[in-house]
Amino acid sequence: MDKKILVNCDNRATRVAILEAGKLVELYIERPLEQRIVGNLYKGIVANVLPGMQAAFVDIGLEKNAFLYVDDVYTDNDEKLPPSRSAIDKLLKVREEVIVQVVKEPSGTKGARITGQITLPGRYLVLVPGADYIGVSRRIESTVEKERLRRIAGKMCPPEMGLIVRTVAEGADEEALSQDLQFLMQLWHLVLNRFQQKTAPAILYQDLALTCRIARDLFVEDFNSFLVDNEHEYEKVCEILDCFSPQPQLKRKVSYYRDDEPIFERYGVEKELEKALQGQVWLKSGGYLVFDEAEALTVVDVNTGRYIGRRNLADTILKTNLEAAEEIARQIRLRDIGGIIIIDFIDMTIEDHRQKVLSKLNESIKQDRTKTYVLGLTSLGLVEMTRKKVRQDLAEVLLQHCPYCNGSGRVLTALAASTRIERELKKTLQKAPREAVLVEMHHEVASIIIGTGGGNLKKMEEELGKHIFIRGSEDTHIEQYRIIAAGALSKIEKLALPVSMGEVMELFIEGPHSSFPENGIARLHGYVVNVAGAGEKAGQVVRAEITEVCRTFARAIPIAAEKKRKRRSWSGLGRRSKKTAQGGVAKRQ
């Protein structure tokens, strides 16, 4: 399989894309002002201990205190093991200083998740201070290779330390592992010295920047290329590989991308990103997926869409579900969706088909480095999955909640908005001493508040004893309004009326007048213009002259007929001139 790592850098962000067989499967983004904190070590100070939750909140110097669960507390007792059955108030005291590591980024209203069980990652090994075990990555499939690596790690492991052999260590020799361990031990002693010297809260160790972290953790032999479009970042990647990987063939795969076409556009990453931010994803067959994400639950619905199949319904459903299973696994990785995932495949009555779809889903998620479990089909035919949430998903990184609907995806209808705005407007204007006001709001809301023939607005003016001018605007949010000006009637009237007597303008006819269908209705920012004789010109633009101006509407008469007559005479003259010229030429020939 063709696998690539693409790095795009500018002054706003560093973005890393992982491509498999030409498709985007993972995206990492790091901004200078929003540094990643997972993996960082801190000297924290216990702020609160909550026995009822068996947890503590620790101040590590961030905006919100970090959350520490009892199973993640590390103590210097004889066992040196996670005290999972101990009471939190016996393990930690308020104002106590602790060394902790961030395992989950802050998200929404939640602070960071931390642990007292420290892990320091290198290229081939992960050092676990205070532990007493040797682990080997489950992604290494060869049993012989696992035993070889376990034997080497066990021989070199320091006392009271644990080691985890990483996936990239497959095939590495003992010398490479030994050098990696030596680097990690030096790093751990540096962290301990800083813990003694610094005052809590303080950072003790910060993990590598994104590009270097990708080179250290992900870049292995099965990648075909590593392309970087920034010279400085390219040099850093080469330095990291010199330090962590003695394999020269890896460094030869790293290239500095110099083409004029942006790297993400060259490989189609930008288009894939746009699709990943949408709720609907189309499949090649014509079916489609719908992603609906909540706080801790994501629902994926599979639909046949335009795909009608060739043989029978069961085969059509199977083909769509198999294609959907593969695409869902890719989208989950790309969107970095965590928590509970429910997949509503199209109902399958054949058991063999159900098992094929489950097998395809399990096979597709094997490429995912994040812990993911498929729990099987429920009695309702839904597939349940869980995926560990470590960082913000793609939507949280690139999108924000709508400031108007607060993330609900819905706003008030024009009628409901007009009722609320009218009520608020009355409260505001009752206190205002001015004679007249000019109010701007969405043009649909303005039409409702003004009412047919200005009847609603007249009632409001009589009730408040003020002159109210309303201006409609397409740019104003449907639930909002603003008072533009207030003062004397003559002053506000000049500001409010969008037309003047004798003015000639082009007006779009929305439809016929409700009471006089022979006339047409046009609107200027919610202001009604009654165009005589234009009732049959709905959807057309009519040139008209304003003949009467009132506060809520104006009257106009079309002048298109006169214009048309002039255009016809000029065009006829043109044709006659052309014929004459042609005749003359013919005569001369």
Side-chain angles (χ1 to χ4, degrees), residues 283 286-290 301-307 320-321 324 344 346:
L283 304 174
Y288 64 93
L289 312 174
V290 177
D301 186 33
V302 183
N303 299 276
T304 53
R306 296 188 294 258
Y307 182 60
T320 305
N321 282 341
D344 185 9
I346 304 169

Side-chain angles (χ1 to χ4, degrees), residues 372-438:
T372 307
Y373 300 99
V374 178
L375 305 178
L377 280 163
T378 69
S379 57
L380 295 175
L382 306 175
V383 174
E384 294 180 329
M385 291 177 61
T386 62
R387 188 172 185 268
K388 187 177 181 182
K389 187 176 179 69
V390 177
R391 60 194 178 113
Q392 291 180 316
D393 61 37
L394 190 65
E396 288 180 295
V397 174
L398 298 179
L399 302 177
Q400 64 179 4
H401 281 305
C402 172
Y404 303 111
C405 69
N406 294 318
S408 69
R410 295 172 179 267
V411 294
L412 293 177
T413 64
L415 185 59
S418 67
T419 302
R420 192 174 77 177
I421 288 175
E422 185 173 331
R423 184 173 62 249
E424 293 177 2
L425 198 55
K426 286 179 179 179
K427 289 182 181 178
T428 303
L429 297 182
Q430 281 174 348
K431 303 173 184 177
R434 302 302 178 92
E435 182 183 8
V437 292
L438 172 58

Side-chain angles (χ1 to χ4, degrees), residues 481-542:
Y481 71 95
R482 65 191 183 103
I483 297 176
I484 296 176
L489 175 60
S490 57
K491 175 186 173 183
I492 301 302
E493 195 170 30
K494 288 180 182 179
L495 290 173
L497 298 178
V499 297
S500 58
M501 286 284 293
E503 185 177 358
V504 176
M505 57 178 53
E506 293 185 340
L507 300 169
F508 177 78
I509 306 300
E510 294 182 1
H513 194 288
S514 57
S515 302
F516 304 98
E518 66 274 13
N519 296 340
I521 291 295
R523 296 181 193 274
L524 298 172
H525 305 295
Y527 183 83
V528 175
V529 181
N530 186 347
V531 185
E536 296 181 354
K537 297 186 179 296
Q540 300 180 33
V541 175
V542 172

Side-chain angles (χ1 to χ4, degrees), residues 27-40:
L27 182 78
Y28 301 86
I29 301 175
E30 193 168 84
R31 298 184 176 98
L33 300 178
E34 301 173 3
Q35 289 290 332
R36 174 184 185 267
I37 65 170
V38 167
N40 291 358

Side-chain angles (χ1 to χ4, degrees), residues 13 27 30 34 80 114-115 167 177 199 207 233 317 346 382 422 443 461 464 468 500 548 586 589:
L27 182 78
E30 193 168 84
E34 301 173 3
K80 291 189 184 268
I114 56 175
T115 180
T167 308
L177 297 180
T199 303
D207 203 1
E233 291 295 315
I317 291 172
I346 304 169
L382 306 175
E422 185 173 331
H443 63 94
E461 288 179 323
L464 296 172
I468 303 171
S500 58
E548 182 182 352
Q589 288 176 341

Side-chain angles (χ1 to χ4, degrees), residues 292-305:
D292 194 359
E293 299 182 39
E295 180 72 20
L297 171 71
T298 300
V299 178
V300 186
D301 186 33
V302 183
N303 299 276
T304 53

